[in-house]
Amino acid sequence: MTKLSHNLGMKVFACFLVILMGFTALISGLGIIIAGESGFYGNQPLSYGETPYCQSTTYAYAEQVMDWLNSSMSLEDIAERFDAGKTNFRFELFSPENKPLLSNFDKSQSAATYVGEYRFSLYYDYGNGILVQEEDNSISITFDAETTTEAVAYSEPLLATMRCYVAEPLTVSDNYWISYRLYQFTYDFHVWLIPILAGSVLLLIAGMIYLLCAAGHQVGKEEIVPNLLDKVPLDLYLGIIFVPLLFGLYIDANGRSMIFSVYEILFGVAYIFFLGILLLATILTCATRLKLGKYFYQHTITYKVLHFGWKLFAAVFSTGVDALKALPAMWKVAVAWLVISSVYVGGGFGAVLLNLALMFVFCLMASQAQKLQKGGEALAKGKLNHKIDTKGMFSMFRKHGENLNSISKGFSIALEQKMKSEHLKTELITNVSHDIKTPLTSIINYVDLLKKEGLEGQAAEYIEVLDRQSRRLKKLTEDLVEASKASTGNLKVNLAPTDMGELVAQAVAEYEERLEKAHLEVVLNGLESPTFAMVDGNLTWRVLSNLLSNACKYSQANTRLYIDIKKEADLVAVSMKNISKDALNIPVEELMERFVRGDSSRHTEGSGLGLNIAQSLVGLQKGKFSLEIEGDLFKAYVKFPATEPPAPPAEGPTGEEPLDDVSEETTE
C-alpha cells in the first residue's frame, strides 16, 4: 500500500484544497472587515450611503469630474461620460456664493440618495452649464444667456462645492453596483463569515502541513527526489516568480483610481488566485530543497558563480605562492630569457643560429622528460627493478631521475624486508603450533582417561574445566595455523560452479542445534531458484561456518538471523544480519583484524580469528568480504563471481543415465 506522503492523488487534492481554502479565507476575511466597518456586528448598522466604500467611490467619481473640468475638457464630453446609462453617480457643482455651476441630473425628476459634499478648486469657467437628464435617459446641456461653449480661465482658482448622490435604484454595473452587492452579501451572511474563516484557516493549515511533509516524496522511493520544478536554480526561480509581483505593483502604482470596471475586478481576482498558486509552489519547492540539505543553496546560480570565483581566486593565489617558492630556480630562466631577447632584438644570422640551438635543446628536454615519465609509470605499476638512465641529462632532470631510482631501491628493500618478516612470522606460527600440538594432544588424552575414572566432587569439576580449556586451546592453535596459511595463500583452491543457496542451506542445517540453543530463528531468503557462483566448496563452507559460529556466540537471544542470497550483476551476494547482545563500539576495520573480538571483556568463547580467516578465504576465491555496523545491527556480506550452472552429464548410448562416479567418493 502506497504511503500517504507518497500518494500523487492525495497531493493533487491537498494542493487544490489549500488554494481553495486560502481564497475562501481571503474572501471571508475581507467580508468580515466590510461587515465590521458597516456596523453589522453592532447595534446600529450603516446604510449603504454611509459606508466608507460608498464614500470612497463617490469621492473618486467627484475627483474625476473635477480633473476633467480643470483640464478644460468640453462639456459635451463630460455629458457623454456621465450619461445615465453609464454611471449611477449624480452631482451638483456650486460656486462659493452657492450659485449652480454644473449638474448632471434633476432632483425633481430622478431619485437619488445623498452621500455628501466635497470642496475642489476650479480653474476654468464654463458659465452656467447644466447637464440635464432627458426622458430617454440621455443627458443634454442647457446654458443661460451669459454662458459660452468655450472655457475661460479664472484669474484665481474658485473654491467650488460638489454635492454628490447615488442613483436609486442602481441601474448600471459600475463601482457602486459592485460595492452594493458586496454590502448586501456581507449583510446577509455576516453571521456565517467568522466560522467560515475559522474552518477555511484550519483546513488550510492541515493541507499545508501535509504538503510540507509530502514534499519531495515519490511513489516507490524512500529518499527525497527533486521534481522538474525543484531542479530549476532557486535564485532563477525566485526571479521568474518576482515578475508577476512587479507587474501587480506597477499596475497599482500607475492606476490609483478607485473606479474599476467589472472586467478589471475579475482580472484582479484571477491575478490574486495566480499569485496564490505561485506562493504555494514556492513554499513546496523550498521545503523539498531544505530536505535535500546542501542542495538548497548549492543548486543556485549565485552559489555556482561564487564557487567558481573562489576556485579561480584560489588557483591564482596558489600559482602566485608556487611562483614565490620557485624563485631560486626561476632566476636562471629569467636570465636566459633576457639573453635570448637581446639576441632577437639584434636580429640577423645570430637569431637563426639561436633558433636552431633552442630547437635542439627543447628536443633534448622533451626526450629526457619522456624518460622520467616512463620511469614514474613503471614504478606506479610495481616494476621496482626499473632504472632510469640519467646519463647526459640536464642537471634538474638528472636529480629527479636519481630520486626516482632511489625510491625504486627503497621500495624494493622495504618489500623484501616485509616478505621476509611475513615468512618468518608464518614459520614461527607454524613451528610453535606444532610444538604446542604434541603436548596438548597428550593433555587431552589424559583428561579423557581421568574422566573415565569416575571422579566425583571438586575433582570432577576440575577435570571438566581442564577438558573445556584444553579443547579451546586446540581450536585456537588450529585457527592460528589456518589463519597463517590463508593470509599467505598457502592453501590449495579448487574453484567450481556451486549452488550458493544449497551450500548455505546445508550450513544452516549443520548449525541447527547450536542455533536453537542460542534461541535464534533463521530467516532464509533467495532459495527459490539456484544461484551459482565460482567458489571452492570447502573454503566457502569454512567461511559460512565462521559467520554462523559468530552469530551463535554474539547474537541477542530470541531474535532472528536473516540470511539473503541474491544475484547482483555479475556477482552472487550472501548477507547475514543479526542483532548483537553487546554494544558494538568498535570500528569495522579493527573488527576484522586478528585476535579482535566483538566483546571487549572477552567473556565468550572464541579466538578472535574467525572474521580474519573468513576475509582471507574469500579473498583467495577472488571474492569480496565486508562488514557493516548500524548500532547493534551486525551485517556481513560475502560476494563471489557469478557463473552459469554446470552442464548436465551426457546420456549413454542406450539412452540410460550414466552410473554415479563412485571412484571419487571412495577417494574422498
Side-chain angles (χ1 to χ4, degrees):
M1 183 177 178
T2 305
K3 291 183 178 180
L4 194 61
S5 59
H6 295 60
N7 193 307
L8 180 59
M10 190 64 183
K11 290 182 182 180
V12 173
F13 173 75
C15 289
F16 178 77
L17 179 67
V18 166
I19 295 171
L20 181 62
M21 290 301 102
F23 192 74
T24 304
L26 178 63
I27 296 300
S28 58
L30 291 175
I32 291 173
I33 294 174
I34 293 174
E37 293 185 348
S38 300
F40 295 158
Y41 296 113
N43 296 326
Q44 296 180 345
L46 302 178
S47 65
Y48 171 69
E50 296 173 327
T51 60
Y53 309 103
C54 180
Q55 298 283 342
S56 60
T57 303
T58 302
Y59 182 79
Y61 277 121
E63 191 176 38
Q64 193 172 76
V65 171
M66 296 308 301
D67 288 341
W68 289 339
L69 289 173
N70 288 325
S71 62
S72 70
M73 181 182 291
S74 67
L75 292 178
E76 288 82 357
D77 290 338
I78 297 177
E80 180 184 357
R81 293 178 184 240
F82 283 95
D83 188 86
K86 294 182 179 180
T87 180
N88 293 304
F89 175 66
R90 303 289 183 264
F91 71 92
E92 294 176 322
L93 186 64
F94 298 91
S95 67
E97 295 80 13
N98 207 25
K99 178 183 178 181
L101 297 177
L102 190 63
S103 174
N104 74 335
F105 83 113
D106 187 352
K107 288 191 291 185
S108 62
Q109 296 182 4
S110 59
T113 301
Y114 175 75
V115 177
E117 63 180 35
Y118 307 97
R119 296 184 181 276
F120 298 97
S121 296
L122 187 64
Y123 296 90
Y124 292 94
D125 182 15
Y126 291 89
N128 295 333
I130 308 298
L131 302 181
V132 179
Q133 183 176 351
E134 303 292 347
E135 293 181 358
D136 59 355
N137 289 330
S138 63
I139 296 179
S140 61
I141 306 173
T142 61
F143 301 95
D144 58 16
E146 300 176 357
T147 301
T148 61
T149 57
E150 296 182 358
V152 179
Y154 287 116
S155 58
E156 293 183 2
L158 181 67
L159 190 62
T161 301
M162 182 180 292
R163 295 175 184 171
C164 301
Y165 307 85
V166 179
E168 187 178 346
L170 302 177
T171 58
V172 181
S173 297
D174 58 358
N175 280 28
Y176 284 118
W177 184 87
I178 295 171
S179 60
Y180 181 75
R181 289 293 175 268
L182 289 175
Y183 170 85
Q184 195 66 37
F185 174 80
T186 52
Y187 178 78
D188 294 337
F189 295 97
H190 69 277
V191 177
W192 297 98
L193 288 176
I194 294 178
I196 290 174
L197 175 63
S200 59
V201 169
L202 289 176
L203 289 175
L204 174 65
I205 294 174
M208 282 302 304
I209 292 175
Y210 167 76
L211 288 175
L212 290 175
C213 295
H217 291 290
Q218 292 185 5
V219 178
K221 297 179 181 179
E222 291 298 327
E223 68 277 5
I224 302 299
V225 181
N227 57 28
L228 187 62
L229 188 64
D230 300 328
K231 294 179 181 178
V232 178
L234 183 59
D235 44 3
L236 177 62
Y237 175 81
L238 294 176
I240 293 174
I241 68 169
F242 198 62
V243 172
L245 184 60
L246 288 178
F247 174 75
L249 294 176
Y250 174 79
I251 294 297
D252 180 67
N254 292 273
R256 294 185 179 277
S257 174
M258 291 295 295
I259 303 175
F260 304 104
S261 67
V262 175
Y263 299 103
E264 289 173 336
I265 292 176
L266 291 176
F267 174 78
V269 172
Y271 175 76
I272 294 173
F273 196 78
F274 177 69
L275 284 184
I277 295 175
L278 284 183
L279 178 61
L280 177 62
T282 304
I283 293 173
L284 294 183
T285 189
C286 288
T288 302
R289 295 167 195 259
L290 285 172
K291 291 179 182 180
L292 290 170
K294 295 181 180 179
Y295 186 88
F296 182 81
Y297 63 87
Q298 286 185 348
H299 194 63
T300 59
I301 297 176
T302 304
Y303 174 82
K304 292 179 179 178
V305 170
L306 293 176
H307 185 65
F308 174 77
W310 173 254
K311 289 178 67 176
L312 183 63
F313 171 76
V316 172
F317 182 77
S318 177
T319 303
V321 172
D322 292 341
L324 291 175
K325 291 180 179 178
L327 279 177
M330 286 180 61
W331 70 270
K332 300 177 183 178
V333 179
V335 172
W337 180 77
L338 290 174
V339 173
I340 294 171
S341 299
S342 63
V343 174
Y344 271 109
V345 171
F349 184 69
V352 177
L353 291 178
L354 181 60
N355 278 334
L356 294 175
L358 287 176
M359 183 181 68
F360 177 73
V361 171
F362 288 153
C363 289
L364 282 178
M365 293 175 67
S367 175
Q368 294 171 13
Q370 188 176 18
K371 286 183 179 180
L372 294 175
Q373 181 183 1
K374 290 183 177 180
E377 291 176 353
L379 288 175
K381 293 178 181 179
K383 299 178 181 179
L384 302 180
N385 294 326
H386 181 81
K387 298 295 180 184
I388 301 173
D389 185 9
T390 59
K391 293 180 180 179
M393 286 188 175
F394 293 110
S395 176
M396 185 181 299
F397 291 157
R398 184 173 65 253
K399 289 180 179 178
H400 187 51
E402 290 173 353
N403 290 335
L404 289 177
N405 289 336
S406 300
I407 292 174
S408 174
K409 184 178 179 181
F411 279 163
S412 299
I413 294 173
L415 182 61
E416 183 179 353
Q417 290 178 349
K418 183 177 181 181
M419 293 296 293
K420 185 177 180 181
S421 174
E422 288 292 332
H423 178 72
L424 290 174
K425 183 166 58 175
T426 303
E427 186 176 352
L428 175 63
I429 291 173
T430 304
N431 292 336
V432 170
S433 299
H434 280 295
D435 291 342
I436 293 175
K437 192 173 182 180
T438 301
L440 183 59
T441 304
S442 298
I443 293 173
I444 292 174
N445 292 335
Y446 278 109
V447 168
D448 288 337
L449 292 174
L450 288 173
K451 289 173 68 176
K452 295 177 181 179
E453 291 296 326
L455 299 176
E456 298 179 355
Q458 291 286 354
E461 294 181 7
Y462 296 155
I463 292 298
E464 190 65 32
V465 172
L466 282 173
D467 182 52
R468 184 172 64 254
Q469 297 299 337
S470 60
R471 294 186 185 280
R472 182 179 177 185
L473 183 58
K474 181 182 179 181
K475 181 68 168 55
L476 175 60
T477 56
E478 291 173 351
D479 287 349
L480 194 57
V481 172
E482 186 175 6
S484 177
K485 290 180 179 180
S487 62
T488 56
N490 293 329
L491 287 176
K492 187 176 180 180
V493 180
N494 298 316
L495 299 179
T498 306
D499 186 355
M500 293 302 297
E502 183 178 350
L503 190 62
V504 170
Q506 291 176 0
V508 171
E510 184 74 20
Y511 271 80
E512 184 177 1
E513 185 177 347
R514 291 188 59 184
L515 290 168
E516 289 180 357
K517 188 177 179 181
H519 302 287
L520 291 178
E521 178 186 351
V522 179
V523 179
L524 269 172
N525 298 316
L527 300 181
E528 296 80 10
S529 59
T531 309
F532 284 85
M534 188 65 70
V535 299
D536 185 311
N538 292 329
L539 298 183
T540 306
W541 174 274
R542 181 73 170 111
V543 172
L544 296 174
S545 176
N546 283 359
L547 293 176
L548 289 171
S549 177
N550 276 357
C552 293
K553 293 175 185 176
Y554 302 115
S555 294
Q556 179 70 36
N558 300 313
T559 58
R560 295 182 180 88
L561 170 63
Y562 290 90
I563 304 178
D564 298 322
I565 305 150
K566 60 182 177 180
K567 189 173 181 181
E568 298 177 354
D570 56 346
L571 296 174
V572 175
V574 179
S575 64
M576 291 192 186
K577 305 172 186 176
N578 63 281
I579 303 295
S580 173
K581 61 184 175 183
D582 296 313
L584 294 174
N585 51 0
I586 182 172
V588 170
E589 296 78 10
E590 185 179 343
L591 196 59
M592 287 193 290
E593 294 178 2
R594 294 182 182 179
F595 304 108
V596 176
R597 293 159 59 183
D599 59 327
S600 56
S601 60
R602 309 181 75 87
H603 65 273
T604 60
E605 295 183 4
S607 58
L609 294 169
L611 293 177
N612 182 266
I613 293 173
Q615 183 184 26
S616 300
L617 294 179
V618 172
L620 288 176
Q621 301 174 79
K622 300 178 182 179
K624 299 178 182 178
F625 182 84
S626 60
L627 300 177
E628 289 184 10
I629 296 175
E630 294 182 9
D632 291 336
L633 180 61
F634 178 83
K635 305 177 185 178
Y637 297 93
V638 180
K639 298 180 181 180
F640 294 108
T643 186
E644 297 296 328
E651 294 184 353
T654 60
E656 297 179 355
E657 294 184 0
L659 296 175
D660 294 336
D661 191 354
V662 188
S663 59
E664 288 189 5
E665 295 183 1
T666 307
T667 304
E668 292 179 359

